[in-house]
Amino acid sequence: PELNLLGRKALLPDTRLIALPEGDINGDTFRRELQSMGISGKRVGCTRDVSSGVILAAESCLSVSFVDMDEVLVNMRAVKDDEELQVIRKGVELTDAIYRTITQDIIHAGMSRRQLERDIDRVMEELGASGCSFPTDVNVQCQFSSSLGDSYVRLEKGSVVAFDFGLVYQNYCTDFGRTIFIGEPSKRLQDMFGLVYQAHMAGCSCLKHGNSCGEDADEAARAIFREAGLDKAFIHKLGH
């Protein structure tokens, strides 16, 4: 059947869209398209996210040999052009807008962790994202309980709420994490926040040309925890 692809072509100007007939159970359309690319008998570079089905089909019908170019292409894509940077900035703006909407208009004592996760996903789509970049996760630490394994634990005064969510905007992903308090945090929580912030700033101070994120910035942040006798509590890499 004919498809109206004009809208999609506008979004993907350098992409050729192919409709696969439902009756093509042998993959004839797929093989014809591969043949039209003129790659028969050649070595073809691909990334590791190309499915095994595609690789096996090309090897079988076209005598193509594949070369792992994942590292090369990933390094090339790590350098973003102006158009990509604009899309990424817009995705980050939308992510910040979700956080503001949730914290200013929606979150309240008495609501469940699961309801909060659903509200984040709903606001995400309302603001123009195409979906989550990974499953939305909200962890709630109450005075006497934790949300780990419990989707319906309810927020209460004194709860610590950790957000971990991200969205997909025009095929680019964001990853967002924040921790907030319901009511006033205890002295212990304020001290821990101060320690994390101090480590954060120590790491940022090392983000200079010529320095290594792993050897310099990570060590600077980790040293703050080590001096406080809490180095074992630094469970992630600095970038996370």
Side-chain angles (χ1 to χ4, degrees):
E2 293 186 3
L3 300 176
N4 180 7
L5 303 177
L6 294 179
R8 297 186 184 183
K9 286 291 288 182
L11 294 175
L12 304 169
D14 299 323
T15 302
R16 189 157 57 95
L17 300 175
I18 303 158
L20 299 180
E22 291 184 5
D24 185 8
I25 60 175
N26 296 318
D28 293 333
T29 303
F30 178 68
R31 282 194 291 272
R32 283 197 303 271
E33 291 302 324
L34 287 179
Q35 290 168 349
S36 70
M37 294 170 66
I39 62 175
S40 297
K42 295 182 179 180
R43 299 175 72 216
V44 177
C46 68
T47 59
R48 293 171 192 166
D49 56 359
V50 176
S51 70
S52 59
V54 171
I55 291 175
L56 291 173
E59 289 177 339
S60 173
C61 66
L62 300 174
S63 300
V64 169
S65 62
F66 285 90
V67 179
D68 183 0
M69 296 289 287
D70 198 76
E71 184 175 354
V72 173
L73 294 174
V74 166
N75 288 337
M76 289 174 61
R77 293 214 63 210
V79 181
K80 308 300 183 186
D81 61 28
D82 290 340
E83 184 177 353
E84 289 177 298
L85 290 174
Q86 184 177 356
V87 172
I88 292 171
R89 290 190 182 100
K90 179 61 176 179
V92 171
E93 291 173 2
L94 291 176
T95 306
D96 286 340
I98 294 167
Y99 177 68
R100 288 195 301 271
T101 300
I102 292 295
T103 54
Q104 294 176 8
D105 302 331
I106 294 176
I107 192 171
H108 62 271
M111 74 183 308
S112 72
R113 167 203 179 189
R114 186 70 192 104
Q115 181 59 56
L116 187 53
E117 291 173 338
R118 286 197 295 263
D119 284 335
I120 291 172
D121 291 345
R122 174 180 56 79
V123 174
M124 191 179 295
E125 294 197 8
E126 289 176 354
L127 292 181
S130 57
C132 306
S133 54
F134 57 92
T136 297
D137 186 35
V138 175
N139 283 311
V140 181
Q141 182 71 50
C142 301
Q143 291 183 347
F144 305 107
S145 65
S146 170
S147 69
L148 295 178
D150 184 358
S151 295
Y152 295 95
V153 66
R154 295 190 177 277
L155 279 62
E156 60 187 37
K157 189 174 181 179
S159 295
V160 181
V161 183
F163 295 94
D164 190 7
F165 66 88
L167 57 79
V168 179
Y169 178 73
Q170 294 188 16
N171 295 318
Y172 285 83
C173 300
T174 67
D175 188 344
F176 179 95
R178 293 292 186 276
T179 301
I180 67 171
F181 306 100
I182 305 297
E184 292 296 323
S186 66
K187 174 66 166 55
R188 178 176 176 273
L189 289 174
Q190 291 182 53
D191 290 343
M192 292 303 299
F193 175 85
L195 183 67
V196 172
Y197 183 74
Q198 186 181 355
H200 170 80
M201 296 306 296
C204 287
S205 69
C206 290
L207 297 179
K208 301 176 181 178
H209 179 72
N211 283 358
S212 165
C213 289
E215 296 177 3
D216 298 313
D218 185 273
E219 173 54 28
R222 203 171 294 274
I224 301 298
F225 272 65
R226 189 181 304 117
E227 292 170 5
L230 292 171
D231 50 308
K232 292 184 178 179
F234 203 125
I235 59 175
H236 286 299
K237 297 178 181 178
L238 178 64
H240 188 86

